[in-house]
Amino acid sequence: MDIQAIKNRFGIIGSSPALNYALQVAVQVANTDLTVLINGESGVGKEVFSQIIHALSARKHNPFIAVNCGAIPEGTIDSELFGHEKGSFTGAVDSRKGYFETVNGGTIFLDEIGEMPMGTQARLLRVLETGEYIRVGSSKVQKTDVRVVAATNRDLLERTQQGKFREDLYYRLNTVPIRVPALRDRKEDIPLLFRKFSVDFSEKYKTPSIQLDEEARNILVNYPWRGNIRELKNIAEQISVLSSDKLVTANDLKRFLPEQPEINRLPMLAAPQQNADFNSERDILYKLFFDMKKDVTEVKKMFFDILQNPNMPHAAEYPVDNHVLHSYPSAAEMSTPPSSSLGNAQPIILADNKIDHHEEVEETLSIADKEKELIVKALKKHKGKRKDAALDLGISERTLYRKLKEYNIAE
């Protein structure tokens, strides 16, 4: 079956090379029993690929089931997948078959596999390697013949490095990887998809089909679509229902598109390091102030190097009067160092014909004080408007309200 026939059968619209390649891989692997891992952002249509693989396989007349691993509580996912015996846990009033038993001979689609608990991952690995599993509360080994197609919007390899996903399971699932492209990576397909959705909704709601002018079409194509096809479909439905003029202009379209975050944000919130794993705004602020301290220390070190070596290269670019040297405290004044709870003050040694002492430079690293100072500045900048201040700080308005109460900041 050719690619266009697959698209017609499953309602897939688009002709981008990345989409065609993903479909080609799905068709080629369908008639085998290989495990497939579908990668892609949320909303790109990963489940459709699992349906294609099942429909074109020798198992097409047997059951197919889709399971969202992220929607099942950790305490019950083992029972859902592998079944349980009566009395195996509180509430288990009867024995129950799991999905791997009921779908025997068919295909199981495990969506959001990256959210699966570690204990369940070990059970799944055994099923993939030997076809064996044990019900919860039982000691009897059972066999199953189920093909597994998994999907994720996470980077599983990165999660294995973080200890959140089993490395052996990752390589077992990743026998045949399929990457479904994001909508922003197939811009040529966006107008086609929008037209299809608008026609569908006009038929559904018995309204005239909407049209986009040239400028509106350009905005539509260049919008980032973080929600991918799901977001595009929602926007098309909104415009079909709420637009009074069926020829949609750029200004009309902008009313329906969510506002994009402004680039002008605080440095630590606008572009955090990719490998950093921050748990809260406090962690991000702490990192910012730690980096600022390092920068200030480097500047001071360069300054005192110039004082020590006036003839060093580039020293002429930073002229320093002699009285500056003598403005620092004497050795006697520095004999009793100030107390510090931080214990990490950096000594800076000054070497000069008339100076033979060192100065300890202390800087406050109170996260609360710095955080409060930033919030006060943001409120002052935006004349007390919480929404604008929160946007500038890169936090939600609810978080800002909580911080105002926490630090007793008067607006």
Side-chain angles (χ1 to χ4, degrees):
M1 186 177 290
D2 62 8
I3 299 300
Q4 188 58 48
I6 295 293
K7 293 179 181 178
N8 294 338
R9 179 177 174 182
F10 291 92
I12 298 174
I13 297 174
S15 57
S16 70
L19 176 65
N20 289 340
Y21 178 74
L23 288 171
Q24 182 180 351
V25 174
V27 171
Q28 287 180 318
V29 77
N31 206 29
T32 70
D33 273 337
L34 294 174
T35 304
V36 179
L37 179 62
I38 305 172
N39 296 277
E41 296 179 6
S42 179
V44 296
K46 297 187 289 293
E47 187 171 345
V48 175
F49 280 78
S50 69
Q51 294 170 357
I52 292 173
I53 293 171
H54 175 71
L56 300 182
S57 71
R59 301 171 181 264
K60 59 185 177 182
H61 298 299
N62 295 329
F64 170 87
I65 189 171
V67 181
N68 189 331
C69 299
I72 305 176
E74 183 174 349
T76 61
I77 189 169
D78 284 353
S79 172
E80 293 287 331
L81 294 178
F82 308 107
H84 64 259
E85 295 294 340
K86 180 179 179 180
S88 57
F89 54 86
T90 303
V93 295
D94 291 305
S95 297
R96 181 186 182 278
K97 293 181 179 181
Y99 297 137
F100 277 98
E101 188 172 353
T102 58
V103 189
N104 189 21
T107 305
I108 185 168
F109 173 55
L110 298 177
D111 197 7
E112 305 300 345
I113 190 72
E115 307 299 329
M116 181 176 284
M118 295 293 286
T120 310
Q121 292 178 30
R123 286 174 172 262
L124 176 60
L125 179 64
R126 181 182 175 101
V127 173
L128 293 175
E129 292 182 339
T130 66
E132 298 177 346
Y133 67 96
I134 301 175
R135 283 185 179 184
V136 176
S138 174
S139 58
K140 180 182 177 182
V141 177
Q142 300 194 51
K143 299 284 289 185
T144 186
D145 176 24
V146 174
R147 182 183 191 173
V148 173
V149 178
T152 181
N153 60 4
R154 301 279 193 109
D155 186 342
L156 290 188
L157 188 58
E158 181 180 343
R159 288 180 70 79
T160 62
Q161 297 168 355
Q162 297 171 351
K164 298 178 181 179
F165 198 84
R166 291 180 63 101
E167 187 174 8
D168 47 5
L169 178 59
Y170 167 72
Y171 288 110
R172 189 66 180 79
L173 288 170
N174 202 40
T175 306
V176 178
I178 296 177
R179 176 161 292 280
V180 184
L183 188 57
R184 61 181 170 276
D185 295 330
R186 36 185 292 222
K187 291 185 176 182
E188 62 270 32
D189 296 338
I190 294 176
L192 297 175
L193 286 164
F194 183 83
R195 187 180 306 122
K196 171 65 167 61
F197 293 144
S198 62
V199 169
D200 290 345
F201 289 126
S202 68
E203 294 177 355
K204 179 179 179 180
Y205 299 116
K206 303 294 188 295
T207 59
S209 180
I210 57 175
Q211 300 290 332
L212 300 177
D213 66 13
E214 190 63 29
E215 188 178 356
R217 189 178 295 107
N218 291 334
I219 293 176
L220 193 79
V221 169
N222 294 301
Y223 186 76
W225 299 112
R226 292 183 175 84
N228 292 289
I229 297 174
R230 186 182 295 123
E231 183 182 8
L232 177 63
K233 186 176 181 180
N234 291 341
I235 294 297
E237 185 171 17
Q238 289 181 41
I239 298 176
S240 298
V241 174
L242 301 177
S243 178
S244 55
D245 190 350
K246 295 311 172 183
L247 178 61
V248 179
T249 65
N251 290 333
D252 295 332
L253 181 61
K254 288 178 182 178
R255 291 192 295 109
F256 295 98
L257 295 177
E259 292 184 8
Q260 295 302 300
E262 294 182 9
I263 300 176
N264 186 20
R265 293 258 184 110
L266 292 177
M268 76 290 188
L269 298 178
Q273 293 184 0
Q274 285 186 338
N275 296 329
D277 186 12
F278 299 121
N279 295 323
S280 66
E281 297 97 343
R282 187 176 292 266
D283 294 334
I284 300 175
L285 288 169
Y286 181 83
K287 182 188 180 303
L288 171 69
F289 299 136
F290 182 76
D291 290 344
M292 289 173 59
K293 179 179 183 300
K294 287 172 58 179
D295 293 340
V296 172
T297 303
E298 288 294 325
V299 172
K300 289 181 178 179
K301 182 177 182 300
M302 180 181 68
F303 174 73
F304 287 114
D305 284 344
I306 293 173
L307 291 182
Q308 296 172 26
N309 304 293
N311 297 324
M312 69 181 293
H314 307 298
E317 300 176 11
Y318 307 96
V320 181
D321 294 335
N322 289 333
H323 76 274
V324 173
L325 293 174
H326 301 288
S327 66
Y328 288 93
S330 65
E333 293 171 333
M334 296 295 294
S335 59
T336 305
S339 60
S340 174
S341 60
L342 299 173
N344 59 352
Q346 300 294 322
I348 301 176
I349 309 300
L350 299 177
D352 189 78
N353 294 335
K354 297 182 180 181
I355 299 177
D356 186 16
H357 67 273
H358 72 276
E359 177 183 1
E360 296 208 2
V361 179
E362 289 191 62
E363 299 172 1
T364 177
L365 290 179
S366 172
I367 302 300
D369 291 345
K370 294 294 184 182
E371 192 174 43
K372 180 177 179 180
E373 181 181 344
L374 287 173
I375 293 173
V376 170
K377 286 183 178 180
L379 288 171
K380 184 177 180 181
K381 174 182 175 182
H382 296 283
K383 300 179 180 180
K385 295 181 179 179
R386 289 186 193 168
K387 183 176 180 180
D388 295 339
L391 186 64
D392 202 7
L393 290 167
I395 60 177
S396 66
E397 190 173 356
R398 182 178 180 181
T399 301
L400 177 60
Y401 179 74
R402 176 169 55 82
K403 296 292 183 183
L404 293 175
K405 295 185 64 177
E406 179 181 347
Y407 297 128
N408 195 22
I409 300 175
E411 298 182 60

